[in-house]
Amino acid sequence: MSEDNPLKRAARRVAEELRGGDTGPADGIPGKPSPESPPLAEPTDPREPLPPKPDQSGPATVSPTGQPTGAEQARVAQSGNYLTTAQGVRLYDTDHSLKAGPRGPVLLQDHHLREKVMHFDHERIPERVVHARGAAAHGVFRSYGTAASVTKAAFLAEDEETPVFVRFSTVLGSRGSADAVRDTRGFATKFYTSEGVFDLVGNNIPVFFIQDAIKFPDVIHAGKPHPDREIPQAQSAHDTFWDFVTLHTEATHHTLWTMSGRGIPRSYRMMEGFGVHTFRLVDAEGATTLVKFHWKPRLGVHSLVWEEAQIINGVDPDFHRRDLADAIEAGAYPQWELGIQTFPDTPEQTFEGIDLLDPTNIVPEELAPVQPVGLLTLNRNPSNYFAETEQVAFHAGHLVPGVDITDDPLLAGRLFSYLDTQITRLGGPNFPQLPINRPHAPVNDMLRDGMHQTAVHRGVAPYRPNSLDGGCPFVAGADAGAYVETPVRVPEAAKVREAPESFADHFSQPRRFWLSMTRVEREHIIGAYTFELGKCYEQAVRERGLRVLANIDAELCAAVAEGLGLPAPRPTEPLAEVTPSPALSQLGRSWPADGRVVAIVTGADGDLDGVRAVREAVLNAGMVPLVVAPVGGALGSGPEALTVQRTYATARSVEFDAVLLAGTPGPGADAYTARDAKSTPRPTGSAAVDPRVGLLVSEAFRHGKAIGVWAGGEAALAGAGVPADAPGVVVAGSGTDALSRVAELLSVHRVWERFTP
């Protein structure tokens, strides 16, 4: 993206405004657990609670009825410098139950014990059935005003700024599952608009497994762990999933997306988001336009490779949530452009022969370009995971004037499902009053009582019409900002449980997706199908999966069949004639390297001056440097001592986007298998490379990552079996020179030549 690009200028302007001069952690390395470094001894002098870290914030301080309170966020957090009960009574001890003598029985009258254990026993609430594992952040959406011609929604007016809360998630796994699993990701955005809350509840894949919401329990039951053993967790590589999607071929398009790199994103910051459904926009005169929503990440769309993801799920199952929080703390604010594809609102609700009500369809961007309408910037981490990320409640029916729904049968069912979920999870109908869910617009809803009612309503007449409360609240007309449903004419028809004929094409869109992939992306899809179907126990399921692939492409089917050791079947219907859509490929463009993590590996006697220079250059480039050395602590002494963030024992290649080697790191004192299983028996010879460094380099090379060396680092390459003249391997005279060339490679994410068959 060039420096004169309007999007880049807008992104830079928003980031500078939001930073307010604060460019992240003082040392440039995120992850500090507390705003103050702790003393060695337990503190004993009473003091007020510490403030949150600079990157953290809670929900806006509005009342349960949407009124700004003006209160500082500290006023709704814990306060006071002494431990108290929930009723504010100070306590002198919380380590010992009240007993009849030191060895006597615990007394029933111990009210503190009762309250403390009671609250602990009820800390958990039911997790989400789907999207249970998530991560979130606060931010702001700034509208360009380019959507004002098709919608009267206030948050899309020119230069309008709207606070947002965005939650990313996996679909199948439980709250305790891993991040880097092959799965669809949720991309849900809560806009706190001046007209009420608007929720754009989408995914990182633009299509869905099913066309009708009545089948949602079926697809989720199939994807979840087998009910007899509750395994496998957070993955689709098992019989019940493939049994369903190979019998229910409308799932084919979504399945193909999931088997591509889209199923294992590198980062939440590097994945697209989609509204999935076709919505209807309404302008000030009542004219309507059909629309699909897109989130385009400023950093591009990038993925993990499968082996890398498998290692990550073992060594760092929190990989994606850590990446999101660290980037925000470091000041590398994630940004997405909101875009829309627009279509005429015709009675048929089709475009170029594509049924817009079928949620298993996309409209290629070459046919309907995505028009940018605003910029989303995430700039603050939550201060409490449970209160914000876990309790945030989205609903596809949270709409604002100017945005309406269509007759998409999947969308219709979602309008029922979300409210049922919130009542079960959050204990009653008053979940909108939780701080993270409160609208930033006045609320006068006449809804009363219920569990967890925190508003203190006034008046005696919560009904309409009334005169006892002066007639308030009054209904509003469209001129006063009321939400008025679009008067769409409903055709006369018999009540039937059927799908339209246009929903019957299950293979032309998957074929377009396959033909739009580059050779490298096709190989990854082949590998994914081979792995997933290979994990199925039943041969019939594997064979049925091949029959589905045969209707997409003969090459795809034959390659997967070869990997499974099965014959490739012939297609059961003619292969569709489709035009590829280059926009579907993740490759072929370059992107900023903001927030990328660079390992600087050195030994105790390495080129420390070079490491200092490289570390500073990495920070100046908006990336995160992590110094890797034999032991923790610091390298060197005095004011120029280098803090070590990772040791050979704690570092693993999957944590880094690129690796720089300052010389040839010799074996550490713990480089033997009894101490660290990543080590081989202690090597001999002064030129030997620590085996864990060799493993790090060889994995990075195998996963297509850029590698740079200087100061004799070629020996480390040789020790890892990496050719010094291989694509993406940089041998330079200095660390800064190596970095500049590696940074160019990072702009395309990986060294794709290494994956060419």
Side-chain angles (χ1 to χ4, degrees), residues 589-639:
R589 285 161 287 180
S590 61
W591 305 93
D594 300 20
R596 294 300 184 116
V597 181
V598 179
I600 307 173
V601 185
T602 186
D605 55 353
D607 175 19
L608 297 189
D609 288 337
V611 171
R612 290 187 191 94
V614 167
R615 185 182 182 279
E616 188 66 24
V618 172
L619 285 170
N620 291 338
M623 298 184 287
V624 177
L626 293 180
V627 176
V628 184
V631 295
L635 294 174
S637 59

Side-chain angles (χ1 to χ4, degrees), residues 28-30 266 269-270 319 322-323 326-327 330 593-600 618 622-628 645-646 652-660 705-706 739 742 746:
I29 307 300
R266 157 62 181 85
R269 301 178 292 128
M270 302 167 195
F319 182 76
R322 187 190 315 282
D323 174 88
D326 282 357
D594 300 20
R596 294 300 184 116
V597 181
V598 179
I600 307 173
V618 172
M623 298 184 287
V624 177
L626 293 180
V627 176
V628 184
Q645 282 86 33
R646 301 289 186 274
R652 197 68 188 261
S653 67
V654 292
E655 185 178 5
F656 312 115
D657 295 290
V659 176
L660 298 175
K705 296 177 180 178
L739 173 64
V742 163
L746 277 174

Side-chain angles (χ1 to χ4, degrees), residues 357-568:
L357 298 187
D358 182 348
T360 67
N361 283 343
I362 65 163
V363 178
E365 294 183 26
E366 291 78 9
L367 296 179
V370 176
Q371 306 167 52
V373 300
L375 184 68
L376 167 68
T377 302
L378 298 183
N379 58 10
R380 293 173 292 132
N381 285 312
S383 58
N384 185 280
Y385 183 94
F386 178 82
E388 299 169 78
T389 307
E390 187 64 12
Q391 290 196 126
V392 66
F394 296 96
H395 176 31
H398 288 165
L399 303 167
V400 291
V403 183
D404 205 345
I405 61 170
T406 59
D407 293 330
D408 177 335
L410 176 61
L411 177 57
R414 293 179 71 192
L415 299 177
F416 282 86
S417 178
Y418 283 82
L419 293 180
D420 283 344
T421 295
Q422 314 308 351
I423 291 173
T424 297
R425 293 191 62 248
L426 301 173
N430 288 313
F431 64 86
Q433 296 182 17
L434 293 169
I436 192 61
N437 296 321
R438 291 175 181 175
H440 296 187
V443 174
N444 196 344
D445 53 20
M446 293 197 303
L447 306 176
R448 293 294 186 269
D449 306 340
M451 293 183 66
H452 309 139
Q453 176 62 255
T454 57
V456 182
H457 296 101
R458 297 176 178 176
V460 297
Y463 52 83
R464 287 199 75 260
N466 77 74
S467 62
L468 296 181
D469 281 347
C472 187
F474 301 88
V475 296
D479 58 341
Y483 187 92
V484 180
E485 289 77 7
T486 306
V488 177
R489 186 174 298 280
V490 179
E492 293 184 6
K495 291 189 292 185
V496 295
R497 292 188 183 272
E498 297 177 3
E501 291 184 11
S502 57
F503 278 35
D505 177 8
H506 298 164
F507 298 112
S508 64
Q509 291 237 339
R511 180 162 173 77
R512 175 187 281 116
F513 184 86
W514 167 258
L515 294 177
S516 303
M517 297 295 101
T518 63
R519 168 52 56 188
V520 170
E521 291 170 304
R522 291 186 188 185
E523 289 297 325
H524 289 166
I525 291 172
I526 290 168
Y529 271 104
T530 305
F531 178 90
E532 296 264 327
L533 289 172
K535 295 286 282 187
C536 293
Y537 180 89
E538 297 293 348
Q539 173 115 339
V541 174
R542 296 196 291 269
E543 291 181 359
R544 198 186 307 132
L546 292 175
R547 290 184 182 180
V548 171
L549 297 183
N551 288 329
I552 299 174
D553 186 82
E555 177 194 0
L556 169 61
C557 181
V560 176
E562 182 181 32
L564 296 176
L566 296 172

Side-chain angles (χ1 to χ4, degrees), residues 136-156:
H138 297 273
V140 64
F141 175 78
R142 176 175 288 168
S143 172
Y144 300 153
T146 48
S149 61
V150 291
T151 179
K152 61 184 178 182
F155 80 98
L156 290 174

